Amino acid sequence: METTTDNRGDVTVVTVGGKVDASNADAFGAALTAPMAAGTAKVVLDCAGLEYISSAGLRQILGGLKAAQAGGGELVLASVVPDVERVLKISGFSKLMRLESDTDAAVATLA
Amino acid sequence: MLPERFELREAQLEQLPDLLAFVERRCVELAPDAAVGFDLQLAVEEVFVNLVQHGYGEAVAGPVRVELSKKDGALWVTIRDEAPPFEPDSAPTPDVGAGLEERETGGLGLFLVDQLMDEVRYQPGYEGGNRLDLIKKLAPARSGGKDR
């Protein structure tokens, strides 16, 4: 699991790749919420390389959503692969957040 | 011949990636054309994490044995431990319709197991521990099978 962070004006793009499971979910969550802690509550999570996520990772995404909203911003997911989207639907998470088909479009909606 | 069994004497979260790699390899070996690896890894993870965090708890690390085989047109995962008997009804059920403010995540892992597997058989107290069988049906080889 690797994450990178890229600032685009007042929107931060956090890119996650690999598998988020219970052994690395905390590290994923830290990367996801770092922008909010730094004062940028508009965050796009680029999930194009995210192959797998379990409840531990979903918990971190929920935390990220709450932190973004608390900061007056929003967390949007971009480029989610079909298996991950299916888990988001089953868990009811897809109703709590916006999913966009690509990162540039997601950034545009927040800027 | 790849090992059919994954065993740990002291199950810890750090070993989760090795367990998931085992599940993924066995799925490829037993059912290369069926897209079930994702679901099986997820279900096995949730059971394993529940065992480490709640079955054994923070203070203790105990054994787990995971076997994956193909039987009757399905993949079977059998997970055995030596933890106190686990009653699945004792776990909370998440409210998947709740809004963001109300949403909690307790019980989400075992809920996902239930949703992703075709059958889940809990046997608390089995041989001094617990036994859990996860069954995932494989689509028939000929066309005309069920949609996913």
Side-chain angles (χ1 to χ4, degrees):
Chain A
M1 194 277 299
E2 61 280 337
T3 58
T4 56
T5 301
D6 175 33
N7 293 317
R8 301 199 200 177
D10 60 348
V11 178
T12 302
V13 177
V14 176
T15 301
V16 60
K19 296 160 86 159
V20 176
D21 61 39
S23 73
N24 59 28
D26 286 348
F28 164 65
L32 182 58
T33 54
M36 295 86 166
T40 324
K42 294 182 180 180
V43 178
V44 173
L45 180 65
D46 183 339
C47 299
L50 178 65
E51 303 163 10
Y52 171 98
I53 192 162
S54 58
S55 70
L58 294 178
R59 221 161 273 131
Q60 297 296 330
I61 289 179
L62 188 68
L65 267 171
K66 291 183 175 181
Q69 290 198 1
E74 196 182 347
L75 171 64
V76 179
L77 267 53
S79 313
V80 176
V81 304
D83 276 334
V84 172
E85 185 169 359
R86 192 161 50 90
V87 172
L88 288 170
K89 285 207 167 97
I90 291 169
S91 62
F93 273 42
S94 53
K95 287 193 280 223
L96 301 177
M97 65 191 86
R98 206 148 46 80
L99 269 55
E100 295 287 341
S101 54
D102 73 83
T103 297
D104 290 341
V107 171
T109 65
L110 290 177
Chain B
M1 173 64 129
L2 294 171
E4 298 176 11
R5 171 186 293 185
F6 181 93
E7 244 178 310
L8 294 171
R9 277 191 306 123
E10 294 182 353
Q12 312 216 2
L13 279 189
E14 288 75 20
Q15 290 140 328
L16 177 60
D18 291 339
L19 171 58
L20 296 187
F22 162 79
V23 173
E24 189 172 25
R25 277 199 310 270
R26 288 293 287 161
C27 287
V28 167
E29 186 187 21
L30 295 173
D33 298 325
V36 293
F38 183 94
D39 289 6
L40 277 167
Q41 286 178 73
L42 216 168
V44 170
E45 165 167 351
E46 302 298 350
V47 171
F48 180 78
V49 170
N50 188 64
L51 172 64
V52 169
Q53 294 182 336
H54 302 296
Y56 289 123
E58 303 277 312
V60 173
V64 69
R65 185 201 299 172
V66 181
E67 291 166 303
L68 206 163
S69 56
K70 186 158 79 174
K71 188 161 81 166
D72 301 332
L75 290 188
W76 285 62
V77 185
T78 300
I79 301 165
R80 269 182 259 218
D81 64 53
E82 292 175 21
F86 174 69
E87 294 294 342
D89 294 339
S90 64
T93 306
D95 180 0
V96 295
L100 187 57
E101 289 301 310
E102 305 82 41
R103 185 63 199 261
E104 301 293 331
T105 51
L108 180 58
L110 295 183
F111 173 77
L112 289 175
V113 173
D114 210 56
Q115 294 292 307
L116 294 174
M117 295 293 103
D118 291 300
E119 235 188 288
V120 180
R121 299 181 187 175
Y122 286 95
Q123 293 183 64
Y126 183 92
E127 290 183 355
N130 296 277
R131 173 178 168 156
L132 176 61
D133 289 277
L134 305 172
I135 298 154
K136 183 75 174 174
K137 291 181 187 155
L138 299 171
R142 311 265 330 245
S143 63
K146 284 199 309 202
D147 285 19
R148 287 205 69 204

